[in-house]
Amino acid sequence: MKSESNHQNILKVRMDAITLELLERARSYVDLDKSKFTRQCIREKAEAIIAEHESTHFGEEDWRVFFEMLDNPPEPTERMKKAASTYKKIIDNEEV
């Protein structure tokens, strides 16, 4: 199969001299070409931002309630018992 260049995936970036020098300095320590280094940095930063915004954060009260529920779980409701029974039947390959 012939590999074709996809020009839609090109990103041109303008940067000031200070940022470019920082990029070159950092890049020299990890021995990556400019393109790979830039892609790696962008990916790492994007993943960190996404993780920060898509993760759940618990406050002090949330943690207190969570551990209280672990230490003293409430009695299961009828609905919970039925769900557990249905799940067990599914796992045991029985008909529901």
Side-chain angles (χ1 to χ4, degrees), residues 73-81:
E75 289 295 318
T77 63
E78 288 304 315
R79 187 174 177 190
M80 292 169 73
K81 290 176 186 176

PDB file of all heavy atoms in Angstrom, residues 73-81:
ATOM      1  N   PRO A  73     -22.249   0.005  56.241  1.00  0.00           N
ATOM      2  CA  PRO A  73     -23.132   0.023  55.070  1.00  0.00           C
ATOM      3  C   PRO A  73     -24.594  -0.128  55.489  1.00  0.00           C
ATOM      4  O   PRO A  73     -24.897  -0.841  56.451  1.00  0.00           O
ATOM      5  CB  PRO A  73     -22.664  -1.171  54.253  1.00  0.00           C
ATOM      6  CG  PRO A  73     -21.978  -2.069  55.211  1.00  0.00           C
ATOM      7  CD  PRO A  73     -21.427  -1.186  56.296  1.00  0.00           C
ATOM      8  N   PRO A  74     -25.496   0.514  54.748  1.00  0.00           N
ATOM      9  CA  PRO A  74     -26.915   0.362  55.063  1.00  0.00           C
ATOM     10  C   PRO A  74     -27.413  -1.020  54.633  1.00  0.00           C
ATOM     11  O   PRO A  74     -26.787  -1.691  53.813  1.00  0.00           O
ATOM     12  CB  PRO A  74     -27.578   1.466  54.237  1.00  0.00           C
ATOM     13  CG  PRO A  74     -26.656   1.693  53.093  1.00  0.00           C
ATOM     14  CD  PRO A  74     -25.272   1.425  53.643  1.00  0.00           C
ATOM     15  N   GLU A  75     -28.538  -1.439  55.194  1.00  0.00           N
ATOM     16  CA  GLU A  75     -29.150  -2.705  54.785  1.00  0.00           C
ATOM     17  C   GLU A  75     -29.592  -2.581  53.325  1.00  0.00           C
ATOM     18  O   GLU A  75     -30.079  -1.526  52.909  1.00  0.00           O
ATOM     19  CB  GLU A  75     -30.369  -3.012  55.658  1.00  0.00           C
ATOM     20  CG  GLU A  75     -30.009  -3.386  57.089  1.00  0.00           C
ATOM     21  CD  GLU A  75     -29.220  -4.682  57.156  1.00  0.00           C
ATOM     22  OE1 GLU A  75     -29.561  -5.645  56.430  1.00  0.00           O
ATOM     23  OE2 GLU A  75     -28.242  -4.719  57.929  1.00  0.00           O
ATOM     24  N   PRO A  76     -29.428  -3.650  52.528  1.00  0.00           N
ATOM     25  CA  PRO A  76     -29.843  -3.569  51.129  1.00  0.00           C
ATOM     26  C   PRO A  76     -31.365  -3.456  51.014  1.00  0.00           C
ATOM     27  O   PRO A  76     -32.101  -4.085  51.768  1.00  0.00           O
ATOM     28  CB  PRO A  76     -29.336  -4.867  50.516  1.00  0.00           C
ATOM     29  CG  PRO A  76     -29.055  -5.773  51.654  1.00  0.00           C
ATOM     30  CD  PRO A  76     -28.818  -4.922  52.864  1.00  0.00           C
ATOM     31  N   THR A  77     -31.804  -2.668  50.058  1.00  0.00           N
ATOM     32  CA  THR A  77     -33.236  -2.519  49.798  1.00  0.00           C
ATOM     33  C   THR A  77     -33.719  -3.722  48.986  1.00  0.00           C
ATOM     34  O   THR A  77     -32.909  -4.501  48.467  1.00  0.00           O
ATOM     35  CB  THR A  77     -33.509  -1.227  48.999  1.00  0.00           C
ATOM     36  OG1 THR A  77     -32.867  -1.344  47.718  1.00  0.00           O
ATOM     37  CG2 THR A  77     -32.999   0.010  49.733  1.00  0.00           C
ATOM     38  N   GLU A  78     -35.025  -3.860  48.857  1.00  0.00           N
ATOM     39  CA  GLU A  78     -35.582  -4.943  48.043  1.00  0.00           C
ATOM     40  C   GLU A  78     -35.100  -4.830  46.597  1.00  0.00           C
ATOM     41  O   GLU A  78     -34.795  -5.829  45.956  1.00  0.00           O
ATOM     42  CB  GLU A  78     -37.111  -4.943  48.109  1.00  0.00           C
ATOM     43  CG  GLU A  78     -37.666  -5.404  49.441  1.00  0.00           C
ATOM     44  CD  GLU A  78     -37.155  -6.796  49.836  1.00  0.00           C
ATOM     45  OE1 GLU A  78     -37.138  -7.702  48.969  1.00  0.00           O
ATOM     46  OE2 GLU A  78     -36.755  -6.965  51.001  1.00  0.00           O
ATOM     47  N   ARG A  79     -35.039  -3.617  46.106  1.00  0.00           N
ATOM     48  CA  ARG A  79     -34.572  -3.389  44.729  1.00  0.00           C
ATOM     49  C   ARG A  79     -33.120  -3.847  44.574  1.00  0.00           C
ATOM     50  O   ARG A  79     -32.755  -4.452  43.564  1.00  0.00           O
ATOM     51  CB  ARG A  79     -34.725  -1.909  44.389  1.00  0.00           C
ATOM     52  CG  ARG A  79     -34.426  -1.587  42.955  1.00  0.00           C
ATOM     53  CD  ARG A  79     -34.726  -0.139  42.660  1.00  0.00           C
ATOM     54  NE  ARG A  79     -34.373   0.183  41.293  1.00  0.00           N
ATOM     55  CZ  ARG A  79     -34.337   1.377  40.803  1.00  0.00           C
ATOM     56  NH1 ARG A  79     -34.657   2.414  41.556  1.00  0.00           N
ATOM     57  NH2 ARG A  79     -33.993   1.593  39.558  1.00  0.00           N
ATOM     58  N   MET A  80     -32.291  -3.556  45.564  1.00  0.00           N
ATOM     59  CA  MET A  80     -30.882  -3.977  45.518  1.00  0.00           C
ATOM     60  C   MET A  80     -30.781  -5.498  45.565  1.00  0.00           C
ATOM     61  O   MET A  80     -29.970  -6.099  44.856  1.00  0.00           O
ATOM     62  CB  MET A  80     -30.102  -3.355  46.671  1.00  0.00           C
ATOM     63  CG  MET A  80     -29.939  -1.845  46.555  1.00  0.00           C
ATOM     64  SD  MET A  80     -29.304  -1.092  48.069  1.00  0.00           S
ATOM     65  CE  MET A  80     -27.609  -1.608  48.035  1.00  0.00           C
ATOM     66  N   LYS A  81     -31.602  -6.135  46.384  1.00  0.00           N
ATOM     67  CA  LYS A  81     -31.596  -7.598  46.486  1.00  0.00           C
ATOM     68  C   LYS A  81     -32.007  -8.230  45.156  1.00  0.00           C
ATOM     69  O   LYS A  81     -31.404  -9.214  44.716  1.00  0.00           O
ATOM     70  CB  LYS A  81     -32.533  -8.053  47.602  1.00  0.00           C
ATOM     71  CG  LYS A  81     -32.033  -7.710  48.991  1.00  0.00           C
ATOM     72  CD  LYS A  81     -33.056  -8.106  50.031  1.00  0.00           C
ATOM     73  CE  LYS A  81     -32.647  -7.639  51.425  1.00  0.00           C
ATOM     74  NZ  LYS A  81     -33.677  -7.945  52.427  1.00  0.00           N
TER      75      LYS A  81
END
